[in-house]
PDB file of all heavy atoms in Angstrom:
ATOM      1  N   ASP B   1      49.103 134.264 187.820  1.00 94.00           N
ATOM      2  CA  ASP B   1      47.762 134.044 187.213  1.00 94.00           C
ATOM      3  C   ASP B   1      47.528 135.214 186.301  1.00 94.00           C
ATOM      4  O   ASP B   1      47.188 136.335 186.765  1.00 94.00           O
ATOM      5  CB  ASP B   1      46.724 133.927 188.268  1.00 94.00           C
ATOM      6  CG  ASP B   1      45.356 133.520 187.728  1.00 94.00           C
ATOM      7  OD1 ASP B   1      45.004 133.907 186.592  1.00 94.00           O
ATOM      8  OD2 ASP B   1      44.561 132.886 188.422  1.00 94.00           O
ATOM      9  N   ASN B   2      47.705 135.023 184.994  1.00 90.00           N
ATOM     10  CA  ASN B   2      47.592 136.134 184.034  1.00 90.00           C
ATOM     11  C   ASN B   2      46.207 136.697 184.009  1.00 90.00           C
ATOM     12  O   ASN B   2      46.003 137.925 183.849  1.00 90.00           O
ATOM     13  CB  ASN B   2      48.009 135.682 182.630  1.00 90.00           C
ATOM     14  CG  ASN B   2      49.480 135.382 182.512  1.00 90.00           C
ATOM     15  OD1 ASN B   2      50.259 135.721 183.377  1.00 90.00           O
ATOM     16  ND2 ASN B   2      49.900 134.796 181.397  1.00 90.00           N
ATOM     17  N   ALA B   3      45.174 135.822 184.140  1.00 92.00           N
ATOM     18  CA  ALA B   3      43.792 136.292 184.112  1.00 92.00           C
ATOM     19  C   ALA B   3      43.500 137.206 185.281  1.00 92.00           C
ATOM     20  O   ALA B   3      42.724 138.139 185.115  1.00 92.00           O
ATOM     21  CB  ALA B   3      42.843 135.085 184.076  1.00 92.00           C
ATOM     22  N   LYS B   4      44.115 136.955 186.394  1.00 94.00           N
ATOM     23  CA  LYS B   4      43.886 137.797 187.613  1.00 94.00           C
ATOM     24  C   LYS B   4      44.946 138.891 187.776  1.00 94.00           C
ATOM     25  O   LYS B   4      44.825 139.697 188.741  1.00 94.00           O
ATOM     26  CB  LYS B   4      43.836 136.919 188.870  1.00 94.00           C
ATOM     27  CG  LYS B   4      42.690 135.915 188.916  1.00 94.00           C
ATOM     28  CD  LYS B   4      42.692 135.149 190.186  1.00 94.00           C
ATOM     29  CE  LYS B   4      41.531 134.201 190.244  1.00 94.00           C
ATOM     30  NZ  LYS B   4      41.549 133.413 191.541  1.00 94.00           N
ATOM     31  N   ASN B   5      45.920 138.893 186.894  1.00 94.00           N
ATOM     32  CA  ASN B   5      47.018 139.866 186.963  1.00 94.00           C
ATOM     33  C   ASN B   5      47.690 139.854 188.342  1.00 94.00           C
ATOM     34  O   ASN B   5      47.970 140.895 188.951  1.00 94.00           O
ATOM     35  CB  ASN B   5      46.509 141.284 186.668  1.00 94.00           C
ATOM     36  CG  ASN B   5      45.949 141.414 185.226  1.00 94.00           C
ATOM     37  OD1 ASN B   5      46.632 140.963 184.288  1.00 94.00           O
ATOM     38  ND2 ASN B   5      44.839 142.069 185.075  1.00 94.00           N
ATOM     39  N   THR B   6      47.902 138.626 188.824  1.00 96.00           N
ATOM     40  CA  THR B   6      48.396 138.425 190.181  1.00 96.00           C
ATOM     41  C   THR B   6      49.546 137.466 190.184  1.00 96.00           C
ATOM     42  O   THR B   6      49.514 136.462 189.448  1.00 96.00           O
ATOM     43  CB  THR B   6      47.284 137.973 191.091  1.00 96.00           C
ATOM     44  OG1 THR B   6      46.217 138.947 191.118  1.00 96.00           O
ATOM     45  CG2 THR B   6      47.830 137.784 192.494  1.00 96.00           C
ATOM     46  N   VAL B   7      50.565 137.731 190.998  1.00 97.00           N
ATOM     47  CA  VAL B   7      51.709 136.863 191.218  1.00 97.00           C
ATOM     48  C   VAL B   7      51.629 136.429 192.701  1.00 97.00           C
ATOM     49  O   VAL B   7      51.304 137.208 193.579  1.00 97.00           O
ATOM     50  CB  VAL B   7      52.995 137.565 190.922  1.00 97.00           C
ATOM     51  CG1 VAL B   7      54.184 136.694 191.295  1.00 97.00           C
ATOM     52  CG2 VAL B   7      53.100 137.920 189.431  1.00 97.00           C
ATOM     53  N   TYR B   8      51.999 135.140 192.924  1.00 98.00           N
ATOM     54  CA  TYR B   8      51.937 134.566 194.264  1.00 98.00           C
ATOM     55  C   TYR B   8      53.316 134.049 194.668  1.00 98.00           C
ATOM     56  O   TYR B   8      54.122 133.685 193.808  1.00 98.00           O
ATOM     57  CB  TYR B   8      50.928 133.416 194.302  1.00 98.00           C
ATOM     58  CG  TYR B   8      49.529 133.766 193.848  1.00 98.00           C
ATOM     59  CD1 TYR B   8      49.124 133.570 192.544  1.00 98.00           C
ATOM     60  CD2 TYR B   8      48.652 134.330 194.769  1.00 98.00           C
ATOM     61  CE1 TYR B   8      47.844 133.849 192.162  1.00 98.00           C
ATOM     62  CE2 TYR B   8      47.364 134.678 194.354  1.00 98.00           C
ATOM     63  CZ  TYR B   8      46.970 134.455 193.041  1.00 98.00           C
ATOM     64  OH  TYR B   8      45.715 134.784 192.651  1.00 98.00           O
ATOM     65  N   LEU B   9      53.506 133.996 195.988  1.00 98.00           N
ATOM     66  CA  LEU B   9      54.657 133.352 196.549  1.00 98.00           C
ATOM     67  C   LEU B   9      54.161 132.423 197.655  1.00 98.00           C
ATOM     68  O   LEU B   9      53.744 132.913 198.690  1.00 98.00           O
ATOM     69  CB  LEU B   9      55.666 134.309 197.064  1.00 98.00           C
ATOM     70  CG  LEU B   9      56.944 133.753 197.599  1.00 98.00           C
ATOM     71  CD1 LEU B   9      57.756 133.062 196.504  1.00 98.00           C
ATOM     72  CD2 LEU B   9      57.788 134.759 198.326  1.00 98.00           C
ATOM     73  N   GLN B  10      54.139 131.112 197.330  1.00 98.00           N
ATOM     74  CA  GLN B  10      53.769 130.132 198.382  1.00 98.00           C
ATOM     75  C   GLN B  10      55.025 129.801 199.168  1.00 98.00           C
ATOM     76  O   GLN B  10      56.028 129.372 198.603  1.00 98.00           O
ATOM     77  CB  GLN B  10      53.221 128.901 197.700  1.00 98.00           C
ATOM     78  CG  GLN B  10      52.849 127.786 198.717  1.00 98.00           C
ATOM     79  CD  GLN B  10      51.690 128.197 199.577  1.00 98.00           C
ATOM     80  OE1 GLN B  10      50.694 128.741 199.121  1.00 98.00           O
ATOM     81  NE2 GLN B  10      51.849 127.946 200.882  1.00 98.00           N
ATOM     82  N   MET B  11      54.948 130.027 200.462  1.00 98.00           N
ATOM     83  CA  MET B  11      56.091 129.819 201.361  1.00 98.00           C
ATOM     84  C   MET B  11      55.741 128.734 202.361  1.00 98.00           C
ATOM     85  O   MET B  11      54.827 128.854 203.149  1.00 98.00           O
ATOM     86  CB  MET B  11      56.450 131.103 202.088  1.00 98.00           C
ATOM     87  CG  MET B  11      56.738 132.273 201.168  1.00 98.00           C
ATOM     88  SD  MET B  11      57.290 133.740 202.088  1.00 98.00           S
ATOM     89  CE  MET B  11      55.754 134.115 202.994  1.00 98.00           C
ATOM     90  N   ASN B  12      56.480 127.646 202.270  1.00 98.00           N
ATOM     91  CA  ASN B  12      56.310 126.476 203.176  1.00 98.00           C
ATOM     92  C   ASN B  12      57.562 126.285 204.021  1.00 98.00           C
ATOM     93  O   ASN B  12      58.599 126.784 203.688  1.00 98.00           O
ATOM     94  CB  ASN B  12      56.000 125.202 202.398  1.00 98.00           C
ATOM     95  CG  ASN B  12      54.724 125.304 201.555  1.00 98.00           C
ATOM     96  OD1 ASN B  12      53.758 125.944 201.952  1.00 98.00           O
ATOM     97  ND2 ASN B  12      54.730 124.643 200.392  1.00 98.00           N
ATOM     98  N   SER B  13      57.392 125.527 205.060  1.00 98.00           N
ATOM     99  CA  SER B  13      58.487 125.214 205.989  1.00 98.00           C
ATOM    100  C   SER B  13      59.241 126.472 206.374  1.00 98.00           C
ATOM    101  O   SER B  13      60.489 126.542 206.324  1.00 98.00           O
ATOM    102  CB  SER B  13      59.431 124.206 205.308  1.00 98.00           C
ATOM    103  OG  SER B  13      58.741 123.034 204.968  1.00 98.00           O
ATOM    104  N   LEU B  14      58.547 127.459 206.800  1.00 98.00           N
ATOM    105  CA  LEU B  14      59.157 128.762 207.089  1.00 98.00           C
ATOM    106  C   LEU B  14      60.116 128.690 208.273  1.00 98.00           C
ATOM    107  O   LEU B  14      59.896 127.922 209.241  1.00 98.00           O
ATOM    108  CB  LEU B  14      58.064 129.777 207.394  1.00 98.00           C
ATOM    109  CG  LEU B  14      57.378 130.271 206.093  1.00 98.00           C
ATOM    110  CD1 LEU B  14      56.035 130.963 206.433  1.00 98.00           C
ATOM    111  CD2 LEU B  14      58.335 131.271 205.349  1.00 98.00           C
ATOM    112  N   LYS B  15      61.157 129.430 208.163  1.00 98.00           N
ATOM    113  CA  LYS B  15      62.201 129.520 209.180  1.00 98.00           C
ATOM    114  C   LYS B  15      62.303 130.919 209.758  1.00 98.00           C
ATOM    115  O   LYS B  15      61.918 131.884 209.088  1.00 98.00           O
ATOM    116  CB  LYS B  15      63.550 129.121 208.572  1.00 98.00           C
ATOM    117  CG  LYS B  15      63.571 127.734 207.941  1.00 98.00           C
ATOM    118  CD  LYS B  15      64.948 127.527 207.231  1.00 98.00           C
ATOM    119  CE  LYS B  15      64.977 126.182 206.550  1.00 98.00           C
ATOM    120  NZ  LYS B  15      66.277 125.955 205.854  1.00 98.00           N
ATOM    121  N   PRO B  16      62.818 131.075 210.965  1.00 97.00           N
ATOM    122  CA  PRO B  16      62.939 132.436 211.520  1.00 97.00           C
ATOM    123  C   PRO B  16      63.798 133.348 210.586  1.00 97.00           C
ATOM    124  O   PRO B  16      63.482 134.561 210.575  1.00 97.00           O
ATOM    125  CB  PRO B  16      63.716 132.187 212.853  1.00 97.00           C
ATOM    126  CG  PRO B  16      63.236 130.805 213.239  1.00 97.00           C
ATOM    127  CD  PRO B  16      63.147 130.039 211.944  1.00 97.00           C
ATOM    128  N   GLU B  17      64.764 132.822 209.879  1.00 96.00           N
ATOM    129  CA  GLU B  17      65.578 133.630 208.994  1.00 96.00           C
ATOM    130  C   GLU B  17      64.817 134.139 207.776  1.00 96.00           C
ATOM    131  O   GLU B  17      65.344 134.894 207.002  1.00 96.00           O
ATOM    132  CB  GLU B  17      66.866 132.908 208.603  1.00 96.00           C
ATOM    133  CG  GLU B  17      66.612 131.492 208.079  1.00 96.00           C
ATOM    134  CD  GLU B  17      66.850 130.427 209.155  1.00 96.00           C
ATOM    135  OE1 GLU B  17      66.343 130.649 210.255  1.00 96.00           O
ATOM    136  OE2 GLU B  17      67.534 129.397 208.871  1.00 96.00           O
ATOM    137  N   ASP B  18      63.572 133.642 207.556  1.00 98.00           N
ATOM    138  CA  ASP B  18      62.754 134.134 206.487  1.00 98.00           C
ATOM    139  C   ASP B  18      62.092 135.454 206.860  1.00 98.00           C
ATOM    140  O   ASP B  18      61.426 136.083 206.019  1.00 98.00           O
ATOM    141  CB  ASP B  18      61.689 133.135 206.083  1.00 98.00           C
ATOM    142  CG  ASP B  18      62.275 131.852 205.472  1.00 98.00           C
ATOM    143  OD1 ASP B  18      63.214 131.976 204.665  1.00 98.00           O
ATOM    144  OD2 ASP B  18      61.784 130.789 205.817  1.00 98.00           O
ATOM    145  N   THR B  19      62.189 135.857 208.118  1.00 98.00           N
ATOM    146  CA  THR B  19      61.592 137.068 208.570  1.00 98.00           C
ATOM    147  C   THR B  19      62.120 138.272 207.824  1.00 98.00           C
ATOM    148  O   THR B  19      63.341 138.456 207.759  1.00 98.00           O
ATOM    149  CB  THR B  19      61.806 137.277 210.078  1.00 98.00           C
ATOM    150  OG1 THR B  19      61.169 136.207 210.789  1.00 98.00           O
ATOM    151  CG2 THR B  19      61.285 138.604 210.542  1.00 98.00           C
ATOM    152  N   ALA B  20      61.252 139.061 207.191  1.00 98.00           N
ATOM    153  CA  ALA B  20      61.692 140.155 206.365  1.00 98.00           C
ATOM    154  C   ALA B  20      60.446 140.904 205.854  1.00 98.00           C
ATOM    155  O   ALA B  20      59.347 140.406 205.969  1.00 98.00           O
ATOM    156  CB  ALA B  20      62.567 139.700 205.232  1.00 98.00           C
ATOM    157  N   VAL B  21      60.688 142.039 205.247  1.00 98.00           N
ATOM    158  CA  VAL B  21      59.667 142.661 204.466  1.00 98.00           C
ATOM    159  C   VAL B  21      59.817 142.164 203.047  1.00 98.00           C
ATOM    160  O   VAL B  21      60.898 142.192 202.447  1.00 98.00           O
ATOM    161  CB  VAL B  21      59.798 144.228 204.482  1.00 98.00           C
ATOM    162  CG1 VAL B  21      58.753 144.828 203.548  1.00 98.00           C
ATOM    163  CG2 VAL B  21      59.629 144.724 205.882  1.00 98.00           C
ATOM    164  N   TYR B  22      58.755 141.675 202.476  1.00 98.00           N
ATOM    165  CA  TYR B  22      58.753 141.101 201.140  1.00 98.00           C
ATOM    166  C   TYR B  22      58.144 142.060 200.115  1.00 98.00           C
ATOM    167  O   TYR B  22      57.048 142.623 200.393  1.00 98.00           O
ATOM    168  CB  TYR B  22      57.969 139.766 201.130  1.00 98.00           C
ATOM    169  CG  TYR B  22      58.740 138.626 201.734  1.00 98.00           C
ATOM    170  CD1 TYR B  22      58.904 138.592 203.103  1.00 98.00           C
ATOM    171  CD2 TYR B  22      59.278 137.581 200.971  1.00 98.00           C
ATOM    172  CE1 TYR B  22      59.647 137.527 203.722  1.00 98.00           C
ATOM    173  CE2 TYR B  22      60.015 136.564 201.515  1.00 98.00           C
ATOM    174  CZ  TYR B  22      60.182 136.554 202.907  1.00 98.00           C
ATOM    175  OH  TYR B  22      60.913 135.479 203.478  1.00 98.00           O
ATOM    176  N   TYR B  23      58.844 142.269 199.050  1.00 98.00           N
ATOM    177  CA  TYR B  23      58.466 143.223 198.035  1.00 98.00           C
ATOM    178  C   TYR B  23      58.172 142.514 196.705  1.00 98.00           C
ATOM    179  O   TYR B  23      58.902 141.639 196.269  1.00 98.00           O
ATOM    180  CB  TYR B  23      59.546 144.290 197.807  1.00 98.00           C
ATOM    181  CG  TYR B  23      59.863 145.080 199.017  1.00 98.00           C
ATOM    182  CD1 TYR B  23      60.842 144.665 199.893  1.00 98.00           C
ATOM    183  CD2 TYR B  23      59.199 146.281 199.268  1.00 98.00           C
ATOM    184  CE1 TYR B  23      61.137 145.448 201.048  1.00 98.00           C
ATOM    185  CE2 TYR B  23      59.499 147.042 200.388  1.00 98.00           C
ATOM    186  CZ  TYR B  23      60.486 146.620 201.246  1.00 98.00           C
ATOM    187  OH  TYR B  23      60.793 147.371 202.374  1.00 98.00           O
ATOM    188  N   CYS B  24      57.138 142.950 196.005  1.00 98.00           N
ATOM    189  CA  CYS B  24      56.850 142.517 194.672  1.00 98.00           C
ATOM    190  C   CYS B  24      57.493 143.441 193.718  1.00 98.00           C
ATOM    191  O   CYS B  24      57.523 144.658 193.871  1.00 98.00           O
ATOM    192  CB  CYS B  24      55.315 142.508 194.475  1.00 98.00           C
ATOM    193  SG  CYS B  24      54.757 141.940 192.842  1.00 98.00           S
ATOM    194  N   ASN B  25      58.070 142.867 192.617  1.00 97.00           N
ATOM    195  CA  ASN B  25      58.727 143.634 191.636  1.00 97.00           C
ATOM    196  C   ASN B  25      58.294 143.246 190.252  1.00 97.00           C
ATOM    197  O   ASN B  25      58.087 142.098 189.946  1.00 97.00           O
ATOM    198  CB  ASN B  25      60.259 143.426 191.776  1.00 97.00           C
ATOM    199  CG  ASN B  25      61.045 143.991 190.597  1.00 97.00           C
ATOM    200  OD1 ASN B  25      61.559 143.271 189.752  1.00 97.00           O
ATOM    201  ND2 ASN B  25      61.218 145.332 190.564  1.00 97.00           N
ATOM    202  N   ALA B  26      58.177 144.251 189.357  1.00 96.00           N
ATOM    203  CA  ALA B  26      57.881 144.041 187.937  1.00 96.00           C
ATOM    204  C   ALA B  26      58.946 144.696 187.140  1.00 96.00           C
ATOM    205  O   ALA B  26      59.198 145.918 187.309  1.00 96.00           O
ATOM    206  CB  ALA B  26      56.505 144.588 187.585  1.00 96.00           C
ATOM    207  N   LYS B  27      59.573 143.942 186.218  1.00 96.00           N
ATOM    208  CA  LYS B  27      60.693 144.499 185.445  1.00 96.00           C
ATOM    209  C   LYS B  27      60.576 144.127 184.007  1.00 96.00           C
ATOM    210  O   LYS B  27      60.250 142.974 183.613  1.00 96.00           O
ATOM    211  CB  LYS B  27      61.981 143.909 185.994  1.00 96.00           C
ATOM    212  CG  LYS B  27      63.263 144.564 185.399  1.00 96.00           C
ATOM    213  CD  LYS B  27      64.510 143.869 185.960  1.00 96.00           C
ATOM    214  CE  LYS B  27      64.618 143.916 187.471  1.00 96.00           C
ATOM    215  NZ  LYS B  27      64.806 145.330 187.947  1.00 96.00           N
ATOM    216  N   LEU B  28      60.838 145.109 183.105  1.00 94.00           N
ATOM    217  CA  LEU B  28      60.886 144.919 181.711  1.00 94.00           C
ATOM    218  C   LEU B  28      61.810 145.949 181.111  1.00 94.00           C
ATOM    219  O   LEU B  28      61.489 147.138 181.102  1.00 94.00           O
ATOM    220  CB  LEU B  28      59.459 145.043 181.093  1.00 94.00           C
ATOM    221  CG  LEU B  28      59.394 144.810 179.564  1.00 94.00           C
ATOM    222  CD1 LEU B  28      59.802 143.398 179.197  1.00 94.00           C
ATOM    223  CD2 LEU B  28      57.974 145.114 179.027  1.00 94.00           C
ATOM    224  N   SER B  29      62.963 145.489 180.667  1.00 92.00           N
ATOM    225  CA  SER B  29      63.959 146.360 180.124  1.00 92.00           C
ATOM    226  C   SER B  29      64.300 147.468 181.110  1.00 92.00           C
ATOM    227  O   SER B  29      64.765 147.134 182.247  1.00 92.00           O
ATOM    228  CB  SER B  29      63.483 146.994 178.804  1.00 92.00           C
ATOM    229  OG  SER B  29      64.479 147.734 178.179  1.00 92.00           O
ATOM    230  N   VAL B  30      64.113 148.711 180.803  1.00 94.00           N
ATOM    231  CA  VAL B  30      64.468 149.827 181.715  1.00 94.00           C
ATOM    232  C   VAL B  30      63.350 150.092 182.717  1.00 94.00           C
ATOM    233  O   VAL B  30      63.520 150.949 183.622  1.00 94.00           O
ATOM    234  CB  VAL B  30      64.824 151.072 180.965  1.00 94.00           C
ATOM    235  CG1 VAL B  30      66.041 150.889 180.076  1.00 94.00           C
ATOM    236  CG2 VAL B  30      63.628 151.584 180.149  1.00 94.00           C
ATOM    237  N   LEU B  31      62.199 149.453 182.554  1.00 94.00           N
ATOM    238  CA  LEU B  31      61.066 149.667 183.416  1.00 94.00           C
ATOM    239  C   LEU B  31      61.210 148.799 184.658  1.00 94.00           C
ATOM    240  O   LEU B  31      61.468 147.588 184.578  1.00 94.00           O
ATOM    241  CB  LEU B  31      59.768 149.354 182.730  1.00 94.00           C
ATOM    242  CG  LEU B  31      59.485 150.166 181.456  1.00 94.00           C
ATOM    243  CD1 LEU B  31      58.204 149.713 180.776  1.00 94.00           C
ATOM    244  CD2 LEU B  31      59.454 151.646 181.750  1.00 94.00           C
ATOM    245  N   ASP B  32      61.012 149.389 185.803  1.00 95.00           N
ATOM    246  CA  ASP B  32      61.212 148.694 187.117  1.00 95.00           C
ATOM    247  C   ASP B  32      60.276 149.234 188.124  1.00 95.00           C
ATOM    248  O   ASP B  32      60.412 150.410 188.494  1.00 95.00           O
ATOM    249  CB  ASP B  32      62.663 148.877 187.522  1.00 95.00           C
ATOM    250  CG  ASP B  32      63.124 147.945 188.616  1.00 95.00           C
ATOM    251  OD1 ASP B  32      62.367 146.972 188.939  1.00 95.00           O
ATOM    252  OD2 ASP B  32      64.246 148.091 189.121  1.00 95.00           O
ATOM    253  N   TYR B  33      59.343 148.438 188.600  1.00 96.00           N
ATOM    254  CA  TYR B  33      58.318 148.892 189.509  1.00 96.00           C
ATOM    255  C   TYR B  33      58.317 148.027 190.794  1.00 96.00           C
ATOM    256  O   TYR B  33      58.576 146.867 190.738  1.00 96.00           O
ATOM    257  CB  TYR B  33      56.918 148.848 188.864  1.00 96.00           C
ATOM    258  CG  TYR B  33      56.862 149.661 187.588  1.00 96.00           C
ATOM    259  CD1 TYR B  33      56.895 149.041 186.374  1.00 96.00           C
ATOM    260  CD2 TYR B  33      56.688 151.052 187.694  1.00 96.00           C
ATOM    261  CE1 TYR B  33      56.864 149.833 185.196  1.00 96.00           C
ATOM    262  CE2 TYR B  33      56.585 151.807 186.506  1.00 96.00           C
ATOM    263  CZ  TYR B  33      56.673 151.156 185.239  1.00 96.00           C
ATOM    264  OH  TYR B  33      56.586 151.920 184.118  1.00 96.00           O
ATOM    265  N   TRP B  34      57.978 148.672 191.893  1.00 97.00           N
ATOM    266  CA  TRP B  34      57.957 148.023 193.205  1.00 97.00           C
ATOM    267  C   TRP B  34      56.668 148.256 193.961  1.00 97.00           C
ATOM    268  O   TRP B  34      56.118 149.385 193.875  1.00 97.00           O
ATOM    269  CB  TRP B  34      59.146 148.551 194.042  1.00 97.00           C
ATOM    270  CG  TRP B  34      60.488 148.192 193.491  1.00 97.00           C
ATOM    271  CD1 TRP B  34      61.202 148.905 192.572  1.00 97.00           C
ATOM    272  CD2 TRP B  34      61.249 147.021 193.771  1.00 97.00           C
ATOM    273  NE1 TRP B  34      62.392 148.264 192.304  1.00 97.00           N
ATOM    274  CE2 TRP B  34      62.443 147.102 193.033  1.00 97.00           C
ATOM    275  CE3 TRP B  34      61.065 145.911 194.597  1.00 97.00           C
ATOM    276  CZ2 TRP B  34      63.458 146.109 193.101  1.00 97.00           C
ATOM    277  CZ3 TRP B  34      62.017 144.953 194.667  1.00 97.00           C
ATOM    278  CH2 TRP B  34      63.185 145.029 193.901  1.00 97.00           C
ATOM    279  N   GLY B  35      56.295 147.312 194.753  1.00 97.00           N
ATOM    280  CA  GLY B  35      55.216 147.487 195.669  1.00 97.00           C
ATOM    281  C   GLY B  35      55.708 148.046 196.984  1.00 97.00           C
ATOM    282  O   GLY B  35      56.944 148.308 197.167  1.00 97.00           O
TER     283      GLY B  35
END
């Protein structure tokens, strides 16, 4: 959502193997940022 400057990840039908720490990433050329 560009207006809200927000990215979403909708996760359905979750499985035990989806268990993890999830990180947001922004990348542009040599620029690389992490949450």
